[in-house]
Amino acid sequence: MADDTASMSIYRASRTIKRKQSSLFNSLSSIHEDSIFVSEIAQLWPELPLVANLRCGLWYAKKFHSSCYFKSTDGHTNNLSFNTSRLNLHVATLAGQRGGCMIVDSTRKGKRFPDSMSKTIPIWTCVLNRTILNYRNKMNGTSAHNCGTTVQQSPEWDPSLHLPLWVPDTEKIRIDSKLNEWVEVLETSGVDIASISSLLKKPLRPLWISQKTVIWLNEVPDYNDWDFTPIILISASASSDIYRQKTSSEFSWNYIAGAGDDEESWARAKLSVENLDDVEIRGGNHDPFCADFKSSNVDSDSKFDRFSLQRNLPSALNFAELHLKKGKRLAVCCNSGEDISVCICLAILTSLFNVEGAYDEGEFFKEARITKLDMRQRLVFVCKYIVNARPSRGNLKQVYNFLARQSLLT
């Protein structure tokens, strides 16, 4: 019993220390320091748009051209995937229009780069490149067979998988073996490959930059001279250490790598990187880790509303059908415009519109048996117009279960 009590005391002590090290001031100071590095890299190629990878990357610059959502879990060793609910096609479009782009993220897990940059984005660029190559070969009357590394080569278009050097060969082989399957998934999703192909003059290719990367300022390469469209991946984290003590002119503080992680939780206080300029450090005998926020945007209400899609979908669909019959337009809204509203739009589109996207009062839905492929195709269609859509897997599952059950009843 005594040992158990001691263990619990040690556990509580370690948690207390961790909370103090992860204080609001330490977190914001760490983000501010890392944002300086991101700004310096962004100035090397000022013509390239800066894109924040949610959830963490949004904190590391005052202004982004856009945001994206590449999940690290899609690049985990035992969870490798290419997810059509997170296609991020607007990033490919933006890169095609501007000749490339820079994506900002960070990590706090003892790595220089998060798995989103080490594997998820490289997989994404390779799958898109191979799908575009297949489309172009089809338009030219030739054929290409995606079988791992045996993809038909093109002197103008590189379909190779480009991974960073720290990804082991065993992992590369595992990813290569799945590429053919992922290309097929993208091709059957209904995505508008023709538009992306027309915008991209060179194949996509990731490049990696961290605070340990050495760049000679008098030899910064011109991205227009490269034979690929660069997706420059900037990891804002300064060190693989989770905590590291820093010293300013007045006091010391703890640097936290990846302090901007889980931006949705931070957003409860309505803070942003811009608020860093409004932090007034208390002097004298006050605790140096306290800070006064002058922003008028602070919201003390941190409760998140819970919403059951499965329970509320019947009334939502009845409301939509009633007004669509009258020829009215619908505006579907939620707190973020990224999850619940996207799922409701998906349910309306699937149950009341045909495959061509025309309102048919649900006739197509009555005759069809909805599959996951049907859902995937319609979600791709929705995401084409809502580029920041981030429907959760749980909510998508609720929509599919509800519609599949309704399909069986008709």
Side-chain angles (χ1 to χ4, degrees):
M1 177 68 81
D3 290 341
D4 291 342
T5 303
S7 298
M8 288 299 293
S9 297
I10 293 172
Y11 172 77
R12 290 194 185 100
S14 65
R15 295 294 295 175
T16 300
I17 293 172
K18 184 176 181 180
R19 281 197 296 272
K20 287 183 178 180
Q21 289 175 325
S22 302
S23 68
L24 180 61
F25 178 75
N26 286 343
S27 297
L28 289 175
S29 297
S30 302
I31 292 169
H32 177 59
E33 181 168 283
D34 290 344
S35 70
I36 295 173
F37 164 72
V38 172
S39 176
E40 291 173 348
I41 298 301
Q43 290 172 19
L44 296 180
W45 296 282
E47 300 86 3
L48 294 182
L50 197 64
V51 180
N53 190 32
L54 303 175
R55 303 146 51 118
C56 186
L58 192 64
W59 288 87
Y60 293 97
K62 290 186 176 182
K63 184 178 181 180
F64 285 98
H65 186 279
S66 183
S67 64
C68 57
Y69 192 41
F70 293 98
K71 289 191 70 173
S72 286
T73 51
D74 291 338
H76 287 177
T77 300
N78 297 319
N79 191 50
L80 294 169
S81 62
F82 180 83
N83 201 311
T84 54
S85 65
R86 296 183 287 273
L87 282 179
N88 294 289
L89 295 181
H90 64 291
V91 177
T93 299
L94 183 62
Q97 293 169 338
R98 303 284 290 273
C101 71
M102 293 181 279
I103 300 178
V104 179
D105 204 348
S106 73
T107 181
R108 60 165 54 185
K109 295 184 178 180
K111 305 174 182 178
R112 286 175 60 189
F113 291 86
D115 283 343
S116 61
M117 290 184 165
S118 294
K119 286 177 279 186
T120 305
I121 295 178
I123 288 172
W124 174 80
T125 57
C126 183
V127 171
L128 276 180
N129 286 338
R130 293 188 177 197
T131 305
I132 291 171
L133 179 59
N134 281 356
Y135 169 79
R136 292 180 176 180
N137 287 334
K138 183 179 179 180
M139 293 297 100
N140 293 332
T142 60
S143 62
H145 301 283
N146 282 332
C147 299
T149 58
T150 62
V151 178
Q152 178 179 333
Q153 298 293 318
S154 168
E156 297 85 17
W157 197 264
D158 177 17
S160 305
L161 173 66
H162 293 278
L163 292 171
L165 295 176
W166 55 86
V167 175
D169 290 340
T170 53
E171 191 80 346
K172 182 176 181 179
I173 293 171
R174 187 180 292 111
I175 294 172
D176 258 329
S177 68
K178 295 176 177 290
L179 287 171
N180 182 39
E181 173 188 339
W182 293 330
V183 169
E184 185 176 353
V185 167
L186 182 59
E187 289 176 335
T188 59
S189 69
V191 67
D192 185 6
I193 292 295
S195 296
I196 301 174
S197 176
S198 65
L199 286 171
L200 281 172
K201 308 305 179 185
K202 304 174 184 178
L204 300 168
R205 182 169 175 175
L207 299 174
W208 297 266
I209 295 179
S210 74
Q211 295 203 33
K212 290 187 177 181
T213 303
V214 177
I215 300 176
W216 299 104
L217 296 181
N218 61 335
E219 297 181 4
V220 176
D222 185 349
Y223 65 90
N224 289 311
D225 295 336
W226 295 334
D227 58 359
F228 54 85
T229 302
I231 304 295
I232 300 175
L233 307 178
I234 306 172
S235 178
S237 302
S239 171
S240 60
D241 302 328
I242 296 179
Y243 300 108
R244 178 161 49 83
Q245 195 169 65
K246 305 278 288 185
T247 303
S248 69
S249 58
E250 296 182 4
F251 52 82
S252 62
W253 53 279
N254 288 312
Y255 171 80
I256 306 171
D261 197 12
D262 194 7
E263 129 273 339
E264 290 180 347
S265 296
W266 285 71
R268 296 179 184 185
K270 297 293 191 297
L271 301 173
S272 70
V273 174
E274 295 178 2
N275 296 133
L276 288 170
D277 297 332
D278 294 329
V279 178
E280 178 182 313
I281 304 301
R282 295 174 181 175
N285 297 324
H286 293 288
D287 181 355
F289 295 107
C290 292
D292 290 331
F293 288 89
K294 300 176 182 176
S295 172
S296 60
N297 295 326
V298 175
D299 183 0
S300 60
D301 184 10
S302 62
K303 295 181 180 178
F304 282 14
D305 295 332
R306 295 184 178 273
F307 185 88
S308 172
L309 275 169
Q310 203 158 349
R311 186 169 62 247
N312 290 278
L313 274 177
S315 58
L317 291 176
N318 288 337
F319 178 87
E321 185 174 17
L322 176 64
H323 288 79
L324 287 171
K325 280 184 177 180
K326 297 178 181 179
K328 295 184 178 181
R329 290 186 174 184
L330 295 178
V332 182
C333 308
C334 67
N335 289 338
S336 66
E338 299 171 352
D339 187 1
I340 292 175
S341 56
V342 174
C343 290
I344 291 177
C345 286
L346 179 61
I348 293 172
L349 188 64
T350 304
S351 60
L352 297 176
F353 291 75
N354 60 24
V355 290
E356 287 79 26
Y359 174 65
D360 67 352
E361 299 186 10
E363 290 301 319
F364 176 81
F365 180 73
K366 293 175 183 177
E367 299 175 0
R369 289 292 179 264
I370 298 301
T371 65
K372 290 184 178 180
L373 176 60
D374 296 322
M375 291 282 291
R376 185 185 303 137
Q377 292 173 336
R378 285 166 173 78
L379 179 59
V380 168
F381 178 80
V382 172
C383 292
K384 179 179 179 181
Y385 300 97
I386 311 174
V387 296
N388 63 331
R390 293 193 289 162
S392 68
R393 183 179 180 182
N395 283 339
L396 288 174
K397 187 175 181 180
Q398 286 188 67
V399 173
Y400 174 72
N401 289 341
F402 173 81
L403 293 178
R405 189 165 56 251
Q406 294 298 113
S407 181
L408 291 174
L409 294 175
T410 56

